[in-house]
Each structure stands twice: as C-alpha cells, then as structure tokens.
Amino acid sequence: MKDYFHKMITGYGAFFIKICTFVLIFGICLLFSFAIVYPLWLCATHYTNLYTTLTLILFAGLVLFFTIKRSIKKYKTDSRRFVYTLIKKLIFAAGIAAFFVLLFAYQRLFAFIVLAATLVLYGFVAFGLSEDRK
C-alpha cells in the first residue's frame, strides 16, 4: 500500500513539474513577444516613416546578406559565371527598384516603360548571351 501511494505521489510530482515547465516556457515566450511586439507596434503607429524606413533597410539587408553569402560559394567554384549572374541580378534589382520609385512618384507611364526595358535587357543578357562565350 505504501508503494502505491509513493508511485502516485511521484506521478503527480512529475505531472506538476511538466505543467510548471510549460507555464514557465509560455510565460517567457509571452514576455519576449511583448518586449518585441510592443515597441514595434508603438513605432509603427506613432513614427510611421521611421518604421517603414527601418523595415525596408532591415529587409534589404537580409536579402543582401543571403545573396552575398550564396554568391561567395559560386565565386569560389567559377568566377566568370559568378560575374555573369551578378550582372543579371543587378539589372533585375535596379530595374525593379526604379519601377517602384517611379510608381510611388506617380509616374506610372515611365514606371512601366522602365519595367519593360528591364525585362527586355534582362532577357537579352540571360537568354541572348551565352555563359560559355570567352
């Protein structure tokens, strides 16, 4: 009988430890999410221009970081092919950036002209030129 109560108390103790661990992890997640989300919400509602600028810089930085990280590996294997793909990426990125700048400046006609020119130039470089040409 004594062994039965000991097993029962041990079982409830393990269950209580698991519940406490869950509540602790949930509380830590809640605390960190509040510490991250509340300042972002405050900045987004009161300082919209700053928030937009910081978000765009952060996003562009992350895209640039991962692009460079991937490109370093390609450069080590074949530097000529790396330069070729870099030119394609720069044409595409500059064209899309110019498109959005003109679009947000309410120059829609010029924006779509730039977009069409970008696609034509990219198509020429990507499909018209050969990567193997020396």
Side-chain angles (χ1 to χ4, degrees):
M1 188 81 158
K2 185 178 181 182
D3 189 41
Y4 177 74
F5 285 117
H6 178 65
K7 286 183 180 180
M8 189 172 72
I9 290 173
T10 306
Y12 277 120
F15 180 71
F16 181 72
I17 294 292
K18 288 180 183 179
I19 293 293
C20 288
T21 304
F22 173 76
V23 169
L24 181 67
I25 291 173
F26 182 74
I28 289 172
C29 288
L30 192 64
L31 180 69
F32 278 117
S33 65
F34 182 75
I36 291 170
V37 170
Y38 181 71
L40 288 174
W41 171 79
L42 195 63
C43 186
T45 55
H46 294 298
Y47 309 105
T48 55
N49 291 335
L50 176 68
Y51 180 77
T52 302
T53 304
L54 290 176
T55 303
L56 288 175
I57 289 172
L58 179 67
F59 180 72
L62 285 173
V63 168
L64 191 63
F65 172 75
F66 287 117
T67 303
I68 289 173
K69 187 176 176 183
R70 236 179 77 199
S71 297
I72 288 173
K73 291 178 184 176
K74 288 183 180 180
Y75 178 74
K76 290 179 181 178
T77 58
D78 188 6
S79 62
R80 185 171 179 81
R81 191 170 188 175
F82 166 75
V83 171
Y84 182 73
T85 57
L86 184 65
I87 290 170
K88 290 192 304 186
K89 288 176 185 176
L90 287 175
I91 288 171
F92 188 73
I96 295 299
F99 169 74
F100 280 111
V101 166
L102 289 171
L103 194 66
F104 290 138
Y106 299 104
Q107 300 291 327
R108 290 186 182 97
L109 179 64
F110 292 123
F112 286 108
I113 290 172
V114 166
L115 182 64
T118 299
L119 293 175
V120 168
L121 184 62
Y122 180 82
F124 175 73
V125 171
F127 308 116
L129 297 178
S130 174
E131 290 183 31
D132 301 330
R133 190 182 307 172
K134 295 193 180 195

